[in-house]
Amino acid sequence: MDEPIVSKEKSPFTITAQKLFEMSSKNLCNGCKVEGNIFLNLLEHGEFCRDCIEKGFEREIGDETERKILIIIYGKDNVYAIEWFPYGYFENLLKIGEGGYGSVYKAKMLTGATIFWNNDSWFMEFDGTEHALKKFSSTQDFWNEFKVYTECMYNNGYWSVPCHGVTRDPIDKQLMLVTTLAEDDIRSYTRRHFAEITWYDRAKQLRELADNLFVIHSAGRVHKDLHSGNILRVYRDKWLGTRIVDFGLSKYVKNEQEKDQADDIRGVLPYIAPEILRREKYTFRSDIYSYGMIMWELTSGRPPFSTIENDTSLAIKICNGLRPEIIEGTPECYADLMKRCWDNDQSKRPCAMHLFNVTFNWAENRDDEMEKQFAEAEIIRKKDAIHYDSTKAAIMHPSVSLKSSILPNTKDINSSLAPIDFTEMTSNDYSLINIKDHENEIQNNPTEERDELEIPDVDESIKSNNQENDDI
């Protein structure tokens, strides 16, 4: 078996801190001598521009037919290897997913195995293990995702889908990440298994999701594209849990605060915080809003606002406070936390650590009152589960997109779309009005996913003075 020989003391490229593409105070590249954005580069042991760092990475790959370790990450709790896998190591590639930033393939590894470091020794997965190969829409998207993986693996190990290495498609020459193959995303899983998913299961998923989000925020990053399609259920030889993926948009919060929000944003409209629709700056609390929408989806079995038109009008209503109607039978403590997560005032939203603490108690350490609420909710869930129709739940308004896209800016908003008082009208009332208008269109054109969606720029007149609070 072709096994790489490595030692903990000596490796070709080590990461001992969050320094891959970390900005330098210098502005002259040691390689090409060109002025510009300069980064610390552990591979070349100097300060170089991004182009020179990427060229150094290519030199480290060298002979693409030879398997080798590219990076050793000495994390806080463990040691992780990022390998180079020759493309010929994989067979039976099957495309299993596509999103706004690339495509995902399932493939079987023919020879060798993925290596890990644990308890002062290396151990390996068996030959023939199926892996996921992720190809990106651009080189920039690859490097963005690769950087987030290395940073967060240093911070907290396998907080996301385990990333084992890199390979290259010999046809288009695009680099691909090699990761553990996930079972499913929670959107599809929830819809297919909604009738048997208990309130305990939901609490456990939310606890794991909060833990993932805390690691990302602890690295100083915001995800910026958090929705149920970007959260996977992962197994290896055992259950690993719920994991956040797709970091093409992820950025440092401090960098987001130093620039104006771009006119064009990406995302899936119902999961995007109102302050982002108003083109304000991303904060940690913008991700928390998305978390609240995922909480609602777990209770309903369908994405929020999926039966109504996702357009300028909906964006304005979201900024004015429209939220999905709380599902009957939701525990009071669950509903209260969910409403705090999607509060229009982001300073009132909890931080990721608070979410973890609360959901941990729901899943593992309920007091008598929590136990009572969840027990009563479970009785209602079992009664209502027999009426859930997964096929009907998959039918969505033709304007709904569940893929993140480059979203054009729509500045011209009809002045007749004045702010609406929702105190006397629930989201269910609003849904019924829109469903009546579009019922025939939905039935004749059912869709689960659309490739493009315009998220409008909400007019300045409806901006609110939300106080920023970036505690993690």
Side-chain angles (χ1 to χ4, degrees):
M1 182 171 64
D2 183 7
E3 299 181 8
I5 305 300
V6 299
S7 70
K8 186 177 179 182
E9 289 71 32
K10 185 176 181 181
S11 60
F13 178 18
T14 63
I15 292 182
T16 56
Q18 302 175 32
K19 290 186 178 179
L20 184 64
F21 292 150
E22 182 178 292
M23 290 293 294
S24 167
S25 59
K26 297 184 179 180
N27 62 0
L28 183 67
C29 176
N30 287 352
C32 62
K33 307 302 181 184
V34 173
E35 291 187 356
N37 289 331
I38 307 303
F39 305 87
L40 303 179
N41 177 15
L42 296 182
L43 182 64
E44 299 288 347
H45 306 291
E47 296 169 303
F48 297 82
C49 66
R50 181 182 290 269
D51 285 344
C52 285
I53 292 176
E54 293 177 8
K55 289 175 182 176
F57 191 81
E58 292 286 350
R59 287 195 299 273
E60 197 68 29
I61 291 172
D63 182 359
E64 296 191 9
T65 65
E66 177 188 347
R67 182 178 177 181
K68 59 185 72 75
I69 288 183
L70 294 176
I71 301 172
I72 303 291
I73 301 175
Y74 294 107
K76 293 179 178 178
D77 300 318
N78 219 326
V79 181
Y80 308 94
I82 301 292
E83 297 186 71
W84 171 261
F85 294 103
Y87 193 77
Y89 270 39
F90 303 98
E91 71 170 1
N92 300 334
L93 265 72
L94 175 66
K95 189 175 183 179
I96 58 175
E98 186 171 7
Y101 309 107
S103 303
V104 179
Y105 300 83
K106 178 171 69 173
K108 182 178 180 181
M109 184 179 289
L110 291 177
T111 184
T114 307
I115 67 173
F116 306 88
W117 177 273
N118 190 36
N119 296 326
D120 296 324
S121 62
W122 294 105
F123 70 96
M124 310 182 75
E125 284 189 334
F126 298 109
D127 294 351
T129 304
E130 285 190 322
H131 286 68
L133 274 58
K134 185 169 184 179
K135 182 188 292 186
F136 296 85
S137 302
S138 69
T139 301
Q140 171 98 19
D141 288 336
F142 168 84
W143 284 109
N144 283 348
E145 187 124 349
F146 186 72
K147 175 175 171 58
V148 177
Y149 268 113
T150 58
E151 287 176 351
C152 293
M153 285 171 73
Y154 168 79
N155 270 292
N156 203 11
Y158 285 138
W159 56 279
S160 183
V161 175
C163 177
H164 308 302
V166 182
T167 189
R168 191 194 313 271
D169 187 324
I171 304 300
D172 60 18
K173 305 302 181 183
Q174 287 290 326
L175 291 171
M176 307 170 76
L177 287 181
V178 180
T179 70
T180 294
L181 182 66
E183 177 196 62
D184 212 344
D185 63 64
I186 66 167
R187 175 182 296 148
S188 300
Y189 180 84
T190 298
R191 189 173 66 232
R192 286 202 311 271
H193 300 279
F194 187 77
E196 63 247 35
I197 297 175
T198 67
W199 279 103
Y200 170 79
D201 296 329
R202 293 167 185 170
K204 184 177 179 182
Q205 283 187 321
L206 290 170
R207 181 199 67 193
E208 293 168 347
L209 176 56
D211 191 21
N212 286 195
L213 197 56
F214 175 73
V215 174
I216 297 170
H217 289 180
S218 295
R221 286 184 167 272
V222 281
H223 188 279
K224 297 179 63 173
D225 191 26
L226 189 62
H227 57 79
S228 56
N230 281 345
I231 304 169
L232 304 183
R233 292 170 49 83
V234 183
Y235 286 90
R236 191 160 71 223
D237 55 342
K238 61 180 180 179
W239 171 245
L240 290 183
T242 303
R243 297 290 188 265
I244 297 174
V245 295
D246 287 352
F247 303 98
L249 283 180
S250 179
K251 293 289 187 296
Y252 291 118
V253 162
K254 64 179 181 181
N255 293 344
E256 291 296 307
Q257 304 311 301
E258 294 169 358
K259 65 179 182 179
D260 293 332
Q261 181 64 272
D263 286 340
D264 293 347
I265 59 175
R266 295 184 181 188
V268 180
L269 176 56
Y271 302 88
I272 295 178
E275 65 270 14
I276 305 307
L277 296 176
R278 293 190 293 265
R279 297 308 192 266
E280 297 173 12
K281 300 181 190 304
Y282 279 91
T283 71
F284 297 126
R285 306 304 169 113
S286 303
D287 282 345
I288 300 299
Y289 178 91
S290 306
Y291 184 98
M293 286 296 164
I294 293 165
M295 288 183 71
W296 184 86
E297 186 169 349
L298 294 179
T299 69
S300 67
R302 67 182 312 140
F305 301 125
S306 60
T307 60
I308 63 177
E309 190 167 4
N310 283 207
D311 60 356
T312 302
S313 178
L314 176 59
I316 294 175
K317 290 176 171 65
I318 289 172
C319 288
N320 278 281
L322 179 66
R323 301 293 184 268
E325 186 177 18
I326 305 297
I327 301 299
E328 182 181 358
T330 301
E332 182 180 357
C333 58
Y334 188 108
D336 287 345
L337 183 65
M338 182 165 59
K339 288 186 286 188
R340 288 180 60 200
C341 288
W342 67 35
D343 197 294
N344 242 24
D345 183 350
Q346 61 175 300
S347 69
K348 295 180 180 179
R349 299 173 199 158
C351 65
M353 175 56 79
H354 179 79
L355 292 178
F356 175 79
N357 290 335
V358 172
T359 53
F360 177 85
N361 286 334
W362 290 351
E364 307 292 345
N365 190 32
R366 297 177 190 164
D367 60 26
D368 291 343
E369 178 58 28
M370 287 181 195
E371 192 64 51
K372 178 183 176 183
Q373 290 185 29
F374 276 86
E376 291 174 349
E378 187 61 17
I379 293 172
I380 297 173
R381 184 200 67 79
K382 289 179 179 179
K383 182 180 68 174
D384 292 344
I386 60 175
H387 304 295
Y388 179 79
D389 186 336
S390 60
T391 302
K392 185 177 180 180
I395 299 176
M396 303 181 192
H397 190 279
S399 66
V400 172
S401 171
L402 297 181
K403 293 180 181 179
S404 300
S405 322
I406 297 176
L407 306 170
N409 187 4
T410 308
K411 287 187 177 296
D412 297 326
I413 297 177
N414 193 319
S415 59
S416 65
L417 295 176
I420 297 174
D421 180 8
F422 291 102
T423 58
E424 300 299 326
M425 187 170 89
T426 68
S427 59
N428 189 54
D429 295 328
Y430 176 62
S431 299
L432 290 174
I433 293 170
N434 283 269
I435 290 172
K436 282 184 177 180
D437 292 340
H438 301 288
E439 186 176 24
N440 292 332
E441 187 176 10
I442 294 175
Q443 294 298 328
N444 294 332
N445 300 284
T447 180
E448 294 188 28
E449 294 186 343
R450 303 273 294 188
D451 289 335
E452 296 181 357
L453 168 68
E454 294 187 358
I455 291 185
D457 182 11
V458 178
D459 190 83
E460 293 285 331
S461 63
I462 65 170
K463 284 188 175 182
S464 66
N465 296 321
N466 285 345
Q467 176 186 354
E468 291 186 354
N469 188 330
D470 293 336
D471 294 338
I472 60 174

